[in-house]
């Protein structure tokens, strides 16, 4: 299996960096409240220092959305949406021990994180402009077709696993209680993205072990290193 970005994505987003990682043993994942509490403290410090739009990590994603012709206040990257919800409610709904942990990591770093059940992504994922024929499954059971040129996470079978890049994930590959192995993808555009993603990788290595799951392959992708095979 693989994860990669198309040439067009790198051409249009030169500052892009991505942390990719695989995880196995997901069915045995357990919640660690102390771990979530530590991350919540970091999130609180981040939010006390700046509004979401002023955070460099999110400002860079807003610029990327603008380059794609999207209004950043209408379509928000996943980390901004999580942070705004958390600022309002001071909590998030619980879904799955792994997903709950990654949501907290995403907010702590202000970097969007996607997680896919590897059994549902065919041979792999390419982040690329849509052709308009891809099928995207909503959480309401409907099927949408992304607009041609829209950036999506696509598999070779014609499924789109996201809409508008990091705006919304598909129900098709969402992590569930039955998920055994997953692919994690964190993407950033801000200037020290590689440094922050390396710090996130360190966090994941420790945090995932605490949850009782096994971190497999992991690497940070850049224009000169574009693909993870696993």
């Amino acid at each position: 299996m693989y994860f990669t970005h198309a040439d067009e994505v790198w051409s249009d987003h030169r500052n892009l960096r991505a942390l990719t990682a695989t995880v196995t043993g997901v069915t045995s994942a357990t919640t660690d409240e102390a771990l979530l509490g530590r991350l919540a403290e970091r999130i609180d410090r981040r939010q006390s220092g700046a509004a979401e739009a002023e955070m460099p990590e999110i400002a860079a994603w807003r610029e990327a959305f603008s380059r794609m012709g999207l209004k950043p206040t209408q379509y928000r990257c996943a980390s901004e949406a999580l942070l705004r919800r958390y600022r309002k409610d001071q909590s998030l709904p619980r879904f799955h021990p792994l997903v709950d942990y990654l949501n907290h990591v995403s907010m702590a770093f202000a970097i969007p994180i996607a997680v896919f059940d590897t059994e549902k992504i065919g041979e792999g994922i390419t982040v690329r402009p849509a052709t308009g024929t891809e099928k995207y499954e909503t959480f309401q059971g409907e099927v949408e077709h992304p607009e041609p040129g829209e950036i999506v996470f696509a598999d070779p079978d014609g499924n789109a696993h996201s809409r508008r890049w990091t705006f919304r994930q598909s129900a098709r590959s969402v992590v569930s209680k039955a998920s055994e192995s997953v692919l994690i993808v964190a993407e950033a555009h801000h200037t020290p993205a590689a440094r922050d993603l390396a710090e996130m990788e360190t966090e994941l290595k420790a945090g995932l072990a605490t949850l009782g799951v096994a971190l497999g392959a992991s690497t940070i992708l850049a224009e000169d290193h574009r693909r993870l095979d696993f």
Side-chain angles (χ1 to χ4, degrees):
M1 301 181 75
Y2 64 87
F3 176 85
T4 191
H5 295 80
D7 291 345
E8 301 96 316
V9 175
W10 290 111
S11 297
D12 294 340
H13 304 276
R14 295 288 187 179
N15 293 328
L16 173 65
R17 299 293 184 270
L19 169 62
T20 56
T22 60
V23 176
T24 57
V26 176
T27 53
S28 63
T30 58
T31 297
D32 187 299
E33 296 295 345
L35 177 59
L36 297 184
R38 174 176 61 78
L39 289 167
E41 291 176 358
R42 179 167 176 170
I43 296 164
D44 291 341
R45 290 194 298 271
R46 171 178 286 279
Q47 291 192 315
S48 66
E52 284 71 31
E54 298 169 352
M55 298 175 186
E57 303 88 347
I58 289 173
W61 265 109
R62 284 184 165 218
E63 291 177 9
F65 273 47
S66 293
R67 286 196 296 275
M68 293 187 288
L70 302 173
K71 293 181 179 180
T73 55
Q74 182 177 2
Y75 300 106
R76 306 183 191 277
C77 74
S79 56
E80 179 178 2
L82 285 172
L83 281 164
R84 290 171 66 87
R85 183 171 184 175
Y86 188 83
R87 185 186 290 275
K88 178 182 178 182
D89 299 335
Q90 288 302 297
S91 65
L92 292 177
R94 297 291 181 92
F95 297 104
H96 182 283
L98 177 61
V99 174
D100 299 339
Y101 167 66
L102 292 176
N103 281 344
H104 278 70
V105 174
S106 176
M107 291 188 293
F109 285 83
I111 293 172
I113 299 177
V115 55
F116 306 96
D117 186 327
T118 57
E119 292 296 320
K120 305 296 179 59
I121 59 174
E123 295 180 4
I125 284 179
T126 300
V127 182
R128 62 167 174 78
T131 63
T133 63
E134 295 85 0
K135 294 174 293 184
Y136 170 89
E137 298 180 17
T138 73
F139 285 88
Q140 291 73 42
E142 300 172 348
V143 174
E144 300 175 350
H145 297 282
E147 294 291 328
E150 177 185 327
I151 301 297
V152 296
F153 282 63
D155 69 27
D157 300 320
N159 298 300
H161 296 272
S162 74
R163 291 293 312 268
R164 300 175 182 88
W165 203 341
T166 59
F167 170 63
R168 191 172 63 184
Q169 191 169 337
S170 168
R172 178 180 179 82
S173 50
V174 70
V175 176
S176 70
K177 292 181 179 179
S179 300
E180 170 59 28
S181 63
V182 303
L183 169 68
I184 296 172
V185 181
E187 297 165 293
H189 300 266
H190 61 292
T191 300
R195 180 202 68 192
D196 291 346
L197 289 171
E199 182 184 348
M200 181 186 287
E201 185 176 27
T202 299
E203 163 62 41
L204 292 180
K205 288 178 178 178
L208 293 172
T210 301
L211 266 62
V213 299
L215 178 66
S218 66
T219 190
I220 294 177
L221 303 181
E223 194 166 6
D224 59 350
H225 174 52
R226 302 185 179 189
R227 182 177 171 114
L228 170 71
D229 291 288
F230 58 97

